[in-house]
Amino acid sequence: MRELLTAFGVLSVSGPVSVIESTAGVNYGVGRTGGADGAISVDYTTVAGTATEGGDYTATSGTFMWADGETATRFVTVPIVND
């Protein structure tokens, strides 16, 4: 089972953990490393934590897809509410 997971690769998220409110939006990258066999997809959505939807940021969701052999990083921008 480990080889199968390695062949598809590992998805990891990069981006800031804190943001200045006057920032228009925050970019997060999702990268595929360690293998690229087969097409894969991943759904994403923002989830409230110390920041609240509507008051601090605008909810964002979608799906990232990679074709067989593709490893390019995908990006999502989360809009920040400057109140």
Side-chain angles (χ1 to χ4, degrees), residues 32-45:
R32 180 183 189 182
T33 60
D37 291 349
I40 61 170
S41 65
V42 62
D43 296 328
Y44 64 86
T45 189

Side-chain angles (χ1 to χ4, degrees), residues 9-36:
V10 174
L11 298 179
S12 58
V13 178
S14 62
V17 293
S18 64
V19 177
I20 297 171
E21 190 172 81
S22 62
T23 302
V26 179
N27 293 319
Y28 291 93
V30 178
R32 180 183 189 182
T33 60

